[in-house]
């Protein structure tokens, strides 16, 4: 049986751990709120852009084959898989869920004899992939909210260039969609070619009926320029959603850790009381036995 | 509300980081690829490409608002000017020092590129760096017009 001192020491240590996990939970909650606001503030831009593209696509009666980013490649020989993970851990299965999905995708292409370029955002995903022996083509590390848009631009530029030059034939984006702090929802979406339904869906009726626009430059040139921006904003949003999910996951994980610590403290306190009680009982027994022996 | 007697113009300036300005204005002057375009109420539907420069808006009170904008797109339809810019900032809110620093950083990276001293895990695209310099210079310029 452990001594009273040992148990006390463990209680103090668990209490200290709980202080840390509680603090981390609060930090994650604050960051989560900020990340949610960020997502919220990109919405007007994203919606306006979708409407814009929707109008142009309809106006031009676009033939997808005329635009490199809309054109489907008939034969798939090489793909790119972009995985958006976090730089830090302590957030439950967040990073490993994303990497499992991404690497599954790579494996399933490999089974068909198709090679994949792996593009990874975040230290955790990078080290997982390297540890498991996957070749990482490009890694973006230390992403913060301030640099997220630049990273989105850099990632987009790279895959667009390779897609346009027929080096890769499809681009997957694997990330964690943000639904609520508790829910983890890993998605695997095709980023390129731009899925047609995305562009043709959104066009309010009245906006589509009055399209006698003056264009400067030509509508074709504008659309050709809009499409990369659209991909950019899609990646940017995905990064922001990933960040919000990360904070949500960390908050949940840290809350669970704090709860577990509290439970452990309760158990240890009970054990400690038992030990203390046992020793008191033993002492009383000894005293009583001694007194009995004397009076007997 | 019924149709106002004087036709109105509404400016909506959005960047990926959020909505920068939204409100009724009397006139908007935008930098586009071929020069500056002035938009007044009842302007014909228009779609254009926004270039790096200064966007000015005349408020209904007669004040000029200045914004530094980066590349993007403009749409005018139904008396509403929608500007989608990669970045946009009110002239008063521009941090000149930060712009100065980003010029220096870009120049430094360009130098690394030209002398071939870019670190192994880094990649410099001269075009991007030039663009960064252009944007930062524009921000400094627009900040100076306040």
């Amino acid at each position: 049986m452990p001594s009273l001192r040992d148990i006390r020491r463990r209680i103090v240590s668990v209490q200290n751990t709980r202080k840390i996990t509680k603090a981390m939970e609060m930090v994650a909650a604050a960051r989560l709120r900020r990340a949610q606001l960020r997502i919220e503030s990109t919405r007007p831009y994203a919606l306006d852009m979708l409407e814009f593209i929707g109008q142009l696509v309809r106006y031009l009666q676009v033939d997808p084959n005329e635009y490199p980013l809309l054109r489907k490649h008939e034969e798939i020989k090489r793909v790119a898989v972009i995985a958006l993970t976090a730089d830090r851990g302590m957030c439950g299965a967040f990073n490993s869920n994303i990497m499992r999905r991404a690497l599954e995708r790579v494996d399933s292409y490999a089974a068909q004899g198709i090679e994949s370029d792996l593009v990874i955002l975040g230290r955790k995903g990078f080290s997982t992939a390297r540890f498991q022996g996957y070749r990482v083509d490009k890694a973006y590390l230390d992403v913060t909210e301030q640099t997220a848009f630049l990273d989105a631009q850099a990632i987009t530029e790279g895959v667009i260039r390779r897609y346009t030059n027929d080096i890769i034939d499809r681009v997957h984006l694997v990330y964690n969609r943000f639904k609520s702090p508790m829910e983890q929802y890993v998605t695997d979406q095709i980023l390129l070619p731009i899925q047609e339904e995305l562009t043709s869906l959104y066009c309010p009726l009245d906006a589509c009926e009055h399209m006698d626009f003056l264009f400067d430059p030509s509508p074709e040139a504008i659309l050709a320029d809009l499409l990369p921006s659209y991909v950019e904003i899609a990646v940017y949003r995905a990064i922001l959603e990933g960040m919000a999910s990360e904070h949500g996951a960390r908050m949940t994980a840290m809350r669970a850790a704090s709860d577990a610590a509290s439970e452990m403290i309760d158990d240890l306190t009970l054990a400690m009381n038992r030990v203390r009680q046992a020793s008191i009982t033993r002492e009383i027994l000894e005293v009583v036995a001694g007194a009995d022996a004397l009076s007997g | 509300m019924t149709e106002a007697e004087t036709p109105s113009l509404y400016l909506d300036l959005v960047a990926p980081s959020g909505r920068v300005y939204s409100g009724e204005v009397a006139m908007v002057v935008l930098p586009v690829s071929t020069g500056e375009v002035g938009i007044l109420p009842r302007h014909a539907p228009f779609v254009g490409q926004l270039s790096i420069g200064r966007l000015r808006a005349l408020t209904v009170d007669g004040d000029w608002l200045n914004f530094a904008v980066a590349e993007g797109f403009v749409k005018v339809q139904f008396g509403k000017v929608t500007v989608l810019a990669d970045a946009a900032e009110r002239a008063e809110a521009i941090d000149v020092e930060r712009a100065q620093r980003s010029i220096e950083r870009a120049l430094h990276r360009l130098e690394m590129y030209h002398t071939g001293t870019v670190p192994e895990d880094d990649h410099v695209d001269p075009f991007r760096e030039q663009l960064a310099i252009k944007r930062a210079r524009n921000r400094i310029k627009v900040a100076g017009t306040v």
Side-chain angles (χ1 to χ4, degrees):
Chain A
M1 198 177 227
S3 76
L4 212 51
R5 267 241 310 260
D6 289 338
I7 299 181
R8 278 221 184 93
R9 204 178 288 143
R10 278 206 64 191
I11 290 179
V12 171
S13 129
V14 175
Q15 272 171 342
N16 285 338
T17 309
R18 188 176 60 176
K19 268 183 213 153
I20 294 169
T21 56
K22 272 223 170 114
M24 283 182 79
E25 183 191 329
M26 279 187 306
V27 171
R31 293 220 170 122
L32 169 67
R33 239 189 327 271
R34 236 185 19 228
Q36 270 176 297
L37 285 180
R38 280 260 166 174
I39 295 176
E40 212 45 61
S41 57
T42 62
R43 191 157 291 159
Y45 185 88
L47 288 181
D48 279 342
M49 175 155 282
L50 270 183
E51 181 181 323
F52 210 166
I53 293 177
Q55 275 183 305
L56 277 177
V57 166
R58 213 160 291 196
Y59 178 88
L60 289 169
Q61 305 285 319
V62 164
D63 172 8
N65 288 323
E66 283 172 19
Y67 294 86
L69 300 186
L70 295 175
R71 187 170 65 85
K72 276 194 180 62
H73 294 190
E74 292 303 328
E75 198 191 347
I76 310 282
K77 295 178 299 275
R78 189 180 193 91
V79 298
V81 177
I82 307 173
L84 306 180
T85 66
D87 280 318
R88 271 171 298 175
M90 302 285 252
C91 43
F94 176 81
N95 290 308
S96 46
N97 282 343
I98 297 173
M99 284 318 287
R100 190 179 322 123
R101 249 324 240 296
L103 296 178
E104 264 169 26
R105 179 56 72 190
V106 171
D107 290 341
S108 76
Y109 274 121
Q112 301 167 48
I114 298 168
E115 271 194 83
S116 306
D117 289 346
L118 201 49
V119 179
I120 292 179
L121 183 99
R123 276 181 194 287
K124 285 287 159 184
F126 179 53
S127 56
T128 307
R130 232 181 14 182
F131 179 73
Q132 296 193 18
Y134 288 86
R135 193 173 50 85
V136 178
D137 278 271
K138 195 112 183 66
Y140 298 86
L141 309 177
D142 297 324
V143 181
T144 62
E145 279 171 29
Q146 282 73 41
T147 61
F149 189 63
L150 293 177
D151 283 307
Q153 280 184 321
I155 292 174
T156 312
E157 199 186 280
V159 290
I160 284 181
R161 195 178 50 232
R162 282 180 292 160
Y163 189 81
T164 316
N165 294 336
D166 282 332
I167 298 170
I168 49 176
D169 306 300
R170 189 182 282 164
V171 178
H172 282 269
L173 182 65
V174 183
Y175 69 103
N176 206 312
R177 274 257 285 277
F178 183 78
K179 280 179 120 181
S180 80
M182 308 297 152
E183 263 177 292
Q184 300 294 312
Y185 190 68
V186 180
T187 14
D188 177 347
Q189 133 191 2
I190 292 179
L191 189 66
L192 290 177
I194 295 175
Q195 304 296 293
E196 266 170 82
E197 54 274 23
L198 274 181
T199 56
S200 54
L201 248 179
Y202 194 78
C203 184
L205 211 63
D206 55 342
C208 274
E209 278 173 359
H210 301 91
M211 294 202 294
D212 39 358
F213 288 115
L214 303 167
F215 287 98
D216 173 25
S218 71
E220 289 84 3
I222 290 180
L223 182 61
D225 240 50
L226 258 173
L227 293 174
S229 299
Y230 167 75
V231 179
E232 228 162 60
I233 194 78
V235 174
Y236 179 56
R237 271 190 76 92
I239 293 178
L240 291 183
E241 293 210 13
M243 282 182 168
S245 311
E246 175 201 342
H247 297 314
R250 182 166 300 121
M251 203 176 82
T252 315
M254 289 301 113
R255 179 171 303 154
S258 305
D259 290 349
S262 300
E263 210 172 285
M264 198 182 268
I265 290 170
D266 286 348
D267 289 349
L268 286 171
T269 311
L270 194 68
M272 183 182 76
N273 285 340
R274 267 204 200 113
V275 171
R276 201 191 47 194
Q277 200 64 55
S279 72
I280 291 171
T281 314
R282 200 173 54 234
E283 271 169 40
I284 292 176
L285 275 177
E286 278 163 12
V287 172
V288 172
D292 276 355
L294 282 181
S295 66
Chain B
M1 213 166 67
T2 52
E3 189 85 11
E5 284 188 10
T6 42
S8 65
L9 188 65
Y10 199 85
L11 171 65
D12 209 1
L13 176 56
V14 290
S17 56
R19 190 170 259 129
V20 181
Y21 183 82
S22 181
E24 208 178 317
V25 290
M27 171 161 67
V28 181
V29 182
L30 313 151
V32 295
S33 38
T34 46
E36 279 198 318
V37 173
I39 311 276
L40 287 165
R42 286 218 190 117
H43 195 284
F46 169 77
V47 170
Q49 212 159 17
L50 190 74
S51 47
I52 298 176
R54 177 175 63 148
L55 184 150
R56 288 178 296 158
L58 183 63
T59 64
V60 276
D61 304 327
D63 299 320
W64 280 103
L65 302 175
N66 289 290
F67 300 89
V69 292
E71 302 85 347
F73 306 92
V74 197
K75 185 178 76 176
V76 183
Q77 195 180 23
F78 310 132
K80 185 178 167 196
V81 185
T82 308
V83 181
L84 297 173
D86 270 6
E89 248 175 316
R90 264 296 283 277
E92 289 80 0
I94 292 172
D95 184 344
V96 177
E97 255 174 58
R98 196 168 73 93
Q100 202 72 53
R101 277 203 301 278
S102 58
I103 292 179
E104 277 155 25
R105 191 174 53 233
L107 285 175
H108 174 68
R109 287 173 66 83
L110 272 179
E111 197 190 299
M112 287 200 306
Y113 179 78
H114 289 303
T115 55
T117 51
V118 180
E120 193 62 33
D121 57 347
D122 206 350
H123 171 77
V124 175
D125 178 349
F127 180 71
R128 275 179 81 90
E129 302 302 334
Q130 295 285 9
L131 212 58
I133 294 174
K134 215 173 142 191
R135 286 179 181 181
R137 289 213 170 116
N138 175 55
R139 288 168 62 220
I140 294 172
K141 205 170 106 193
V142 174
T145 59
V146 180

